[in-house]
Amino acid sequence: MPHEPVDVARAALRRSPRQDRSAQRIESILDATAALIDEAGYGNVSPTLIAKRVGMSGPGIYRYFDGMTAIAAALATRNLTRLMQASQEALESRDAEWQELLGRVIKAYCTLYKTEPGFRWLRLGDAIDRNLIDNTDSNRTVLAHQLGELFFERFEVSRKRPDLLKHVEVVIEIVDTLTAKAFETDATGDQFFIDECTRLAIGYLEDYLERTQSYLDD
């Protein structure tokens, strides 16, 4: 079953924001958390420090979140949401084949590394908990399901192909691992690893689609 799209309001919030002011406060908390992760490292960030950054009382944070793990879950979910938005924009293009568009999705992922505070460390939350976004599936599996659905719909990929989503998960693993390597010591991204990531991801998916073409003729 495909995952429903996730949003920040469902990610470990004690209460969903009912007013614009509350929603803005939550965004401020997440922005401050992301910036502090870059500045001090996740292990040195606390709800009290976040509250001070956004001009709240310490207990005020707990109106919305149970603690740091819940804040990290919301931030990881926001990262996923922004990645899915960028991916959807890339896949909506009609001017290129799927290989080129997959490369654009990988480029969008790299852009988050460069521009999204806290992303290099937190990404989709695996550094804290592999099930930070969903209690059942791993963070990467959630991404694979959501990105896979976009890809299947855009290019009319038949679900008759065996282990379709598992192969999408492999692509996600390739992309996540090699992009992390690309930005490990280079804030702008080591282009060698980015290029290899793109080549391997496309090649793997091309091979799978070719091997399973016969299933569409049955």
Side-chain angles (χ1 to χ4, degrees):
M1 293 290 292
H3 281 260
E4 291 296 322
V6 293
D7 58 44
V8 173
R10 289 170 50 192
L13 289 175
R14 298 190 69 173
R15 65 180 70 181
S16 296
R18 297 182 178 180
Q19 298 178 348
D20 289 344
R21 184 176 179 182
S22 293
Q24 291 171 2
R25 180 56 59 88
I26 290 168
E27 285 297 307
S28 295
I29 292 170
L30 298 183
D31 289 342
T33 302
L36 287 167
I37 288 173
D38 277 349
E39 294 170 17
Y42 179 80
N44 295 315
V45 180
S46 67
T48 300
L49 190 61
I50 296 167
K52 183 177 180 181
R53 175 64 64 93
V54 297
M56 295 175 63
S57 65
I61 292 284
Y62 293 95
R63 290 181 56 199
Y64 305 103
F65 299 100
D66 288 330
M68 276 306 303
T69 299
I71 298 171
L75 185 54
T77 304
R78 189 173 75 172
N79 288 344
L80 174 59
T81 299
R82 291 179 176 178
L83 175 59
M84 292 306 300
Q85 289 171 344
S87 298
Q88 186 168 11
E89 290 174 4
L91 290 173
E92 284 176 350
S93 175
R94 303 289 170 175
D95 66 350
E97 298 296 324
W98 70 262
Q99 292 91 337
E100 170 67 22
L101 298 187
L102 178 55
R104 294 180 191 178
V105 171
I106 294 171
K107 184 177 181 180
Y109 193 49
C110 291
T111 298
L112 289 175
Y113 269 88
K114 298 176 184 179
T115 63
E116 192 72 20
F119 191 87
R120 288 179 62 189
W121 187 85
L122 182 63
R123 304 205 297 281
L124 302 181
D126 283 10
I128 302 170
D129 187 342
R130 286 180 58 82
N131 296 95
L132 197 59
I133 295 173
D134 185 277
N135 290 329
T136 303
D137 289 328
S138 73
N139 306 322
R140 293 182 185 183
T141 299
V142 173
L143 175 59
H145 281 237
Q146 294 201 25
L147 192 55
E149 288 301 316
L150 285 178
F151 189 84
F152 304 155
E153 181 179 354
R154 168 65 178 81
F155 293 101
E156 299 180 354
V157 178
S158 172
R159 288 170 175 75
K160 292 181 179 180
R161 297 177 188 271
D163 297 323
L164 183 59
L165 279 172
K166 287 184 179 180
H167 284 83
V168 176
E169 286 194 56
V170 172
V171 173
I172 297 300
E173 292 289 337
I174 291 170
V175 173
D176 190 58
T177 299
L178 288 179
T179 49
K181 179 66 177 177
F183 287 89
E184 190 173 54
T185 58
D186 186 343
T188 64
D190 186 319
Q191 195 60 45
F192 171 80
F193 288 106
I194 295 172
D195 290 343
E196 285 299 284
C197 167
T198 304
R199 182 181 68 82
L200 291 171
I202 291 173
Y204 175 83
L205 200 52
E206 280 181 329
D207 177 70
Y208 166 72
L209 294 174
E210 182 177 343
R211 286 188 292 106
T212 57
Q213 180 63 34
S214 61
Y215 285 85
L216 306 184
D217 302 326
D218 294 340

